[in-house]
Structures are given as C-alpha cells and as structure tokens.
Amino acid sequence: MSKALEKARNRFQAGRYKQAVSMLPEVARTADPPAEEANGLLELAGALRDRTDGDLRTACEAQIRRAQKLLETDEQRQAAQRAEQLQAELKQDPARLARWAHDAGLGWLELKSPESVVAVSVRKAMAAYAAGRPVAPEPCLIDIVEAEGWRLESVVHRFIPARVQTSFLRGADFLSGDPVQGDEKYLYLFRRVEGAPGDSREA
C-alpha cells in the first residue's frame, strides 16, 4: 500500500472526507501501478462517493473511473504476457501446438521452418545409412501435425535476401543485384480435418 493510499484511508476513517478525496489523485499515480493499489483506490473512492455529494462526489466518481481503467490496463497486460508465454511454449512442441489449435476449434494452422522438413528427414536417413546404422526415419513435422487431426494443404518457400552482389554497371542498386545471402522460410499450411483421429478427443 502506498503512503498516499494509507493517508487517504486514515482521513476517511477519521471522517475527514474532503481531505481524503483530495488525496485520491496521489494514489496509483505511477505509470504502472500494482493491481492492489488500483483496487484500493477503487474501494476507497467508492466508499467516499457514498458519503459525499456535489463536487466531492463528482471527484470520487472520476477516481472510480480512473481505478477501473487502471485495472483494465493491468488485466490486458497480464493477458498479453500469458499469450506470449503460451506462444513461446507451443512453438517448441509442434504436437502440443497442433493439439491445442485443434481443441481450440481453429480451422487452419500455419507452421514455419527454416528448412524443408522433408529434406531434413531424408538427410538424416542418408546419414544413418552411410554410417551403417539402421535407417529408422523419425516422424517429420508434417506427420506430427497430421496425427493431431490436420491435413497439409500447401507449402510455401520464401527466400529473403540479406545481402546482394551488385556489378559495376548496376552500381549499388539493391533491387537489381543478385542475392547471395539470406534467410529461407518454409510455411506449412494445415487445414483441420473433421472426423480425423484427433477428433476422437471430442467424443
């Protein structure tokens, strides 16, 4: 509890309502007040409103709206943080992400990879064969997601140049150069399949 809120409460309990109301603007004045402080402001402003009239009551109502806005902003911030945390967790586990999206009732799911997941599976199988080890291909991203009730609809490959090679005639025109470095992105778009094995969870 801030000192301002404590003083305002003490004045309220002593029946000094006008002085208590004058202290309300000092409560939760920081840009990012704790929810407890905003709740305290809301409670005290409401109690003062019920015991005052005229300009004092109007001032209390303004502080009530302010406290409600602070609580709404705090709730939105916490919701955004939870969403970011969930996104970070699901990004590390394609199966869990696919399961979550399916249970959430989403119809489409897009996943990204810096390389072709099919090429990765083939490369691993070739490496095992060349080393004389048994070839036991692991399920790739597509298999993992489709096992959760999705069907691959399309694959998009994008190359985003980060540096280009320009000729003397072209000068330093970035758009007319030949890309020599960049990032590759593979976008896998899945559609939810009704009646797929994943739907058995809803039965």
Side-chain angles (χ1 to χ4, degrees), residues 1-5 23-39 41 63 66-67 69-71 73-74 77:
M1 181 192 305
S2 67
K3 292 183 178 180
L5 179 57
M23 287 293 302
L24 294 182
E26 298 295 327
V27 180
R29 174 162 284 184
T30 59
D32 186 20
E36 293 79 5
E37 187 80 355
N39 276 314
L41 173 61
Q63 293 303 318
R66 174 174 168 239
K69 182 62 177 179
L70 291 172
L71 290 171
T73 300
D74 183 72
R77 183 179 63 253

Side-chain angles (χ1 to χ4, degrees), residues 90-166:
L90 295 179
K91 186 178 180 180
Q92 305 300 321
D93 189 344
R96 183 183 171 194
L97 172 59
R99 194 175 307 119
W100 174 87
H102 185 282
D103 292 343
L106 301 182
W108 294 89
L109 177 63
E110 182 184 73
L111 298 180
K112 300 178 182 180
S113 174
E115 54 186 337
S116 169
V117 297
V118 176
V120 170
S121 297
V122 173
R123 186 167 64 248
K124 288 182 178 180
M126 287 183 174
Y129 182 82
R133 300 192 305 269
V135 178
E138 300 177 358
C140 71
L141 176 69
I142 299 173
D143 300 319
I144 293 173
V145 175
E146 288 192 337
E148 298 296 335
W150 299 87
R151 181 180 65 229
L152 180 65
E153 290 290 327
S154 68
V155 180
V156 178
H157 172 236
R158 293 178 180 173
F159 179 77
I160 305 175
R163 187 173 70 85
V164 299
Q165 180 67 47
T166 58

Side-chain angles (χ1 to χ4, degrees), residues 3 8 20 28 42 54 57 62 82 84 113 130 147 151 153 160 178 191 197:
K3 292 183 178 180
L42 181 62
R57 183 182 181 88
R82 290 193 297 269
E84 290 179 0
S113 174
R151 181 180 65 229
E153 290 290 327
I160 305 175
D178 298 321
R191 180 197 290 270

Side-chain angles (χ1 to χ4, degrees), residues 13-29:
Q13 292 171 356
R16 298 153 62 185
Y17 300 146
K18 184 176 182 179
Q19 294 181 8
V21 172
S22 68
M23 287 293 302
L24 294 182
E26 298 295 327
V27 180
R29 174 162 284 184

